[in-house]
C-alpha cells in the first residue's frame, strides 16, 4: 500500500484491453498510472530526445523534433542490447513520474486506490509492490483484431512481441484475479467493481498482499 491506499497492478496479453480495464477502475475513484503516458512525458524531455538522437541518428525524431516511437520500436525490438539501453534511460524517469503522481494524490480523499497499467509489470519487478494484480484475459482472436486495428500488426508480429515478455501463463498464475474482457462492457464493469470492493476490504483490514501464486488466481464472479 501507499499512504494507506492499495496498489492494483494490471497484467495481461498485448491487446487484451488492460487500459480499458484500468479506465473502469478510474471511474470508481482509482488513480491510474499508465506507463505509456509516462513514457510520453519522458520523451518530451529535450535531454532524452538528444540522447536518443545521439544513439540512433535523426531518424528517431520527427521533423518537429518529437520522438518517432515507431522508429525506436523498430530498433529496440530487433536488438535486445538496444532495448536494454533504452529501458535503462527511460524506466528511472517513468518511476520518478509515477512516484510524484502518487505522492501528489496520497492524501486526496477522492483517490481510493492506485492502479498501475504497466505492460512490463512482472518483467521489471513491479508486481512485488502491488497489493493485488488483475490479469485481463481476452480471446486471442479479439486481441489480434485489436492490434491489427490500432497498431497494424499481423499475427506474427503479435507473437514476436509477446515472446519478448514473460509467458502469459506465468503472469496469469501469479495474478490474484482473472478478469474476462469480452464485448460485454457491463460484465467487465461488474468484475472491476467486485475486485475493487475486495481489495479495499483487505486494505481496511491491513491485509496487504496476501496472495500465494502457488494457489492460483481467483476468478472474478
Amino acid at each position: 500500500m501507499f499512504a494507506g491506499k492499495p496498489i492494483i497492478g494490471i497484467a495481461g496479453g498485448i491487446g487484451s484491453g488492460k487500459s480499458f480495464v484500468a479506465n473502469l477502475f478510474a471511474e470508481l475513484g482509482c488513480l491510474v498510472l499508465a506507463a505509456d503516458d509516462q513514457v510520453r512525458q519522458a520523451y518530451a524531455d529535450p535531454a532524452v530526445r538528444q540522447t536518443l538522437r545521439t544513439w540512433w541518428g535523426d531518424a528517431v525524431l520527427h521533423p518537429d523534433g518529437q520522438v518517432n516511437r515507431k522508429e525506436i520500436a523498430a530498433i529496440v525490438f530487433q536488438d535486445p542490447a538496444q532495448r536494454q539501453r533504452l529501458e535503462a534511460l527511460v524506466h528511472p524517469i517513468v518511476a520518478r513520474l509515477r512516484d510524484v503522481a502518487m505522492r501528489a494524490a496520497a492524501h486526496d480523499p477522492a483517490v481510493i486506490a492506485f492502479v498501475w497499467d504497466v505492460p512490463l509489470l512482472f518483467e521489471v519487478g513491479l508486481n512485488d509492490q502491488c497489493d493485488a494484480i488483475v490479469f485481463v484475459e481476452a480471446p486471442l482472436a479479439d486481441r489480434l483484431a485489436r492490434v491489427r486495428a490500432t497498431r497494424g500488426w499481423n499475427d506474427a508480429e503479435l507473437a514476436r512481441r509477446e515472446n519478448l515478455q514473460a509467458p502469459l501463463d506465468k503472469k496469469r498464475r501469479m495474478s490474484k484475479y482473472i478478469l474476462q474482457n469480452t464485448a460485454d462492457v457491463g460484465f467487465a464493469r461488474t468484475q472491476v467493481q467486485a475486485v475493487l470492493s475486495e481489495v479495499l476490504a483487505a486494505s481496511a483490514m491491513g491485509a496487504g498482499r496476501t496472495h500465494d501464486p502457488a494457489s492460483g488466481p481467483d476468478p472474478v464472479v
Side-chain angles (χ1 to χ4, degrees):
M1 288 187 287
F2 185 91
K5 300 178 181 184
I7 299 172
I8 302 169
I10 306 292
I14 298 172
S16 61
K18 296 185 292 297
S19 294
F20 164 72
V21 169
N23 288 336
L24 293 180
F25 276 102
E27 291 177 2
L28 298 174
C30 299
L31 176 64
V32 174
L33 288 309
D36 195 56
D37 292 341
Q38 292 151 1
V39 168
R40 287 193 179 92
Q41 292 180 59
Y43 283 162
D45 185 334
V48 171
R49 293 200 298 264
Q50 183 55 46
T51 297
L52 298 175
R53 184 179 184 182
T54 299
W55 287 351
W56 299 318
D58 293 341
V60 299
L61 298 181
H62 289 295
D64 63 359
Q66 300 303 306
V67 172
N68 185 334
R69 298 187 66 171
K70 185 175 181 180
E71 184 67 27
I72 288 179
I75 295 170
V76 302
F77 285 109
Q78 296 289 343
D79 187 336
Q82 295 302 327
R83 185 182 179 193
Q84 291 172 6
R85 190 186 199 189
L86 177 65
E87 290 174 349
L89 172 67
V90 173
H91 284 184
I93 299 173
V94 168
R96 287 196 296 273
L97 291 170
R98 182 172 56 245
D99 184 67
V100 167
M102 291 177 68
R103 290 184 183 281
H107 302 293
D108 183 349
V111 175
I112 60 176
F114 298 105
V115 171
W116 289 359
D117 180 8
V118 181
L120 299 178
L121 187 77
F122 286 97
E123 289 81 354
V124 299
L126 289 176
N127 58 300
D128 291 334
Q129 299 179 38
C130 296
D131 297 287
I133 298 173
V134 177
F135 184 90
V136 180
E137 193 158 69
L140 178 58
D142 290 355
R143 298 199 295 116
L144 284 169
R146 288 189 190 114
V147 298
R148 285 194 194 104
T150 61
R151 312 184 195 191
W153 295 0
N154 58 21
D155 302 21
E157 183 62 14
L158 174 61
R160 186 176 75 85
R161 296 290 185 106
E162 287 203 325
N163 285 337
L164 295 172
Q165 299 183 9
L168 288 182
D169 59 347
K170 179 180 179 181
K171 292 181 179 181
R172 190 182 194 278
R173 188 172 63 252
M174 295 181 68
S175 298
K176 171 66 174 172
Y177 301 100
I178 304 299
L179 189 149
Q180 301 294 331
N181 185 23
T182 65
D184 188 339
V185 175
F187 181 49
R189 183 172 283 109
T190 297
Q191 294 175 86
V192 167
Q193 290 171 332
V195 169
L196 184 58
S197 293
E198 185 169 324
V199 171
L200 290 174
S203 174
M205 295 174 61
R209 188 181 183 199
T210 59
H211 177 57
D212 178 4
S215 68
D218 297 338
V220 179
V221 180

